[in-house]
Amino acid sequence: MFMVGWVGGHLHWRAAFWGESILMLPFVILGFVIKPLELKGFTHNKKTKEYGPMLSPELQDETSNNGIKQGVPAIVEGLAEKLPEKSSLSSFGKKVMIEIHHFGKDMKELLQERVYVVNVAGYIFYNFVIGAYSYWGPKAGQDIYHMASADLMFGGITIVCGIFGTLAGGFILDKIDSTISNAFKLLSGATFLGAIFCFGAFCFKSLYGFIPFFSVGELLVFATQ
């Protein structure tokens, strides 16, 4: 909000999104290369253990409970045997089929994890609310509180509360012991209280009541990050 409001007034609104894309690129790369976060109290089920480590298609051989190796999926092998040699699947085609097979297997594993499904559903609603505030918040600020620069006001509050809220959430989780159970308690508690403060902020007719309540609400909402 802050970038779109400020950059849009000086350059063009598209420039803000291009700038954000460039600034976020290092974080996208880090998401692929850094070691995943491991919280205490997380145990893999038997299905995850049986799947084994992710290897390249050429090296990956899954082993069944009887110790019999299974190379490429049976569907691919069957197709390769039935088709004539000239029209057999290329090595690239086999790699693609193997990757599709593993992707489908991963998706099946994820959809069977109720904790994962519920958290993703909750995060969808969370982002829906953040998106609604980012779009309708400044409009409400102009219509209700007659702010001169609603975009800058909402953007400034979001930036400050986003930084301090994210840091505070991580600090609190470290203090209360970084377990899955405590993380869920922090997520649900901060989201519930944040919703109350954000809703209560728009119940004030005065700007002096709105800003403190909305700031506390955003601090709590961003603590979940």
Side-chain angles (χ1 to χ4, degrees):
M1 288 185 291
F2 181 83
M3 282 188 65
V4 175
W6 186 81
V7 177
H10 292 77
L11 299 173
H12 192 269
W13 67 269
R14 294 181 188 274
F17 292 97
W18 280 109
E20 184 178 1
S21 300
I22 295 171
L23 291 174
M24 289 300 295
L25 183 60
F27 296 97
V28 175
I29 297 172
L30 284 174
F32 284 98
V33 299
I34 62 175
K35 184 180 179 181
L37 178 66
E38 294 182 6
L39 293 176
K40 301 174 185 176
F42 182 79
T43 57
H44 296 279
N45 56 26
K46 291 182 179 179
K47 292 182 180 179
T48 308
K49 287 182 178 178
E50 288 174 2
Y51 187 73
M54 291 298 295
L55 302 173
S56 62
E58 295 85 353
L59 300 176
Q60 184 160 20
D61 284 328
E62 298 175 29
T63 305
S64 64
N65 294 331
N66 297 327
I68 302 173
K69 287 187 176 182
Q70 299 174 348
V72 292
I75 299 174
V76 179
E77 285 186 343
L79 287 172
E81 290 175 0
K82 291 179 181 179
L83 293 174
E85 189 175 345
K86 290 183 179 179
S87 61
S88 63
L89 293 173
S90 64
S91 59
F92 175 77
K94 287 184 179 180
K95 290 178 183 178
V96 171
M97 292 296 292
I98 291 172
E99 290 299 327
I100 293 174
H101 171 76
H102 291 318
F103 176 78
K105 200 170 182 181
D106 290 340
M107 291 302 299
K108 184 179 178 181
E109 287 287 334
L110 286 175
L111 293 176
Q112 289 176 346
E113 294 288 342
R114 287 181 295 175
V115 173
Y116 173 81
V117 173
V118 171
N119 273 275
V120 170
Y123 204 61
I124 290 171
F125 289 114
Y126 172 87
N127 282 292
F128 173 82
V129 172
I130 295 295
Y133 268 118
S134 66
Y135 182 78
W136 293 108
K139 293 181 180 294
Q142 288 179 341
D143 295 340
I144 299 173
Y145 303 108
H146 308 290
M147 295 180 182
S149 54
D151 283 334
L152 294 177
M153 175 68 74
F154 275 81
I157 293 174
T158 301
I159 288 174
V160 174
C161 294
I163 293 172
F164 285 100
T166 303
L167 293 173
F171 178 78
I172 293 171
L173 185 60
D174 287 338
K175 286 294 182 182
I176 62 175
D177 199 7
S178 302
T179 63
I180 288 291
S181 177
N182 287 338
F184 285 162
K185 291 175 184 176
L186 178 63
L187 283 168
S188 57
T191 303
F192 180 72
L193 292 175
I196 293 175
F197 274 91
C198 287
F199 178 80
F202 285 95
C203 296
F204 285 93
K205 294 182 179 180
S206 171
L207 188 63
Y208 297 103
F210 168 81
I211 290 179
F213 264 71
F214 188 72
S215 299
V216 173
E218 286 218 327
L219 277 171
L220 290 166
V221 167
F222 279 105
T224 62
Q225 299 292 336

